[in-house]
Every structure is written in C-alpha cells, then in structure tokens.
Amino acid sequence: MSAQIKKRPKHLDLMKIKLPIPGVVSILHRVSGAILFLFFIPLLLLALGASLASPESFASLQAKFAHPLSKILLLGFAWAYLHHFCAGIRHLLMDMHKGIDLQSARLSAKIVMVVSLVLTLLIGIKLW
C-alpha cells in the first residue's frame, strides 16, 4: 500500500487569503459585536449616568458629543450596531435554512453590507 501524500502549506499567510463576501460579513459581524460589547455599552452607560446626574453634566455631555471627533466615533458605533443587527438577521434566516445556497448567501451578504452602510450614511447626514 502506498500512502497518498498531500502537499500542505506549513503556515498560512492571512494577508494573502481572499475571503468571499459571506466570510467577510461573518467576520465583521463578530468584530462589530465585540466593539459593541467592549466599548459602546460601557460608553453608553457612562453617558447615561452623566446625563442623569445634573443639568450641568448633561450640558457638558451634549457639548462633548457635539465635537466632530465624537461624531465620528458615534458614527463608527452606529455602523457597528447596524451591521451587527443586519448580519444577525441574516444569520437567523440562515439558521432557519433560508438562503443557505451559495448564490443566496452571496446576495444576502452584499445586501447586509449595502444596507448597513446606507443606514450609517443616513445617520451621519442626520448627525451633522
């Protein structure tokens, strides 16, 4: 008997691997969830506490969030939330065996990217 030897790479260069769009959306879903959990929720709770402390602290918080860098940060959090929400709906549908064939999965991944970016753009227009 002769054993078939497969040539496998010794290491993977992650920068050279090109993921398909469903893979990118899935990874961004995880990243956006981590961003929301680690940064957005604590910031939101701190802002809520500061806004309820006194009218002066509320005015101070309003002034901080009016700064352009704060608006960019909030826009990033808005994208993370919207992407996580849209991709979560996509994953729920796939868990119900809807859209799991390759063509549907690619289409739904593109829809998630477009919808989350358009909604973020609309929020950005409203924010400024």
Side-chain angles (χ1 to χ4, degrees):
M1 277 195 228
S2 65
Q4 187 178 13
I5 300 173
K6 293 183 180 180
K7 237 181 165 181
R8 295 184 180 195
K10 293 182 181 177
H11 68 283
L12 294 175
D13 188 355
L14 296 177
M15 296 300 128
K16 290 183 181 178
I17 296 174
K18 186 173 183 323
L19 281 176
I21 187 81
V24 172
V25 168
S26 182
I27 289 173
L28 286 176
H29 178 72
R30 293 169 192 241
V31 169
S32 63
I35 289 169
L36 291 171
F37 182 74
L38 295 174
F39 301 107
F40 182 66
I41 292 174
L43 179 68
L44 185 67
L45 291 174
L46 286 172
L48 179 65
S51 71
L52 296 175
S54 70
E56 294 80 21
S57 65
F58 178 77
S60 172
L61 189 65
Q62 253 184 330
K64 288 177 186 171
F65 281 145
H67 192 273
L69 289 177
S70 295
K71 288 183 179 182
I72 290 173
L73 181 69
L74 289 174
L75 197 60
F77 285 142
W79 171 83
Y81 174 75
L82 291 167
H83 179 81
H84 194 75
F85 180 78
C86 293
I89 291 172
R90 177 179 177 265
H91 285 294
L92 284 173
L93 289 171
M94 291 177 80
D95 286 344
M96 294 187 299
H97 302 286
K98 307 272 191 242
I100 56 174
D101 59 290
L102 185 60
Q103 186 178 9
S104 298
R106 286 181 177 161
L107 178 63
S108 65
K110 290 175 187 175
I111 290 171
V112 165
M113 293 295 282
V114 169
V115 168
S116 64
L117 289 172
V118 167
L119 290 175
T120 303
L121 181 67
L122 291 173
I123 288 175
I125 291 170
K126 180 70 175 163
L127 197 60
W128 259 277

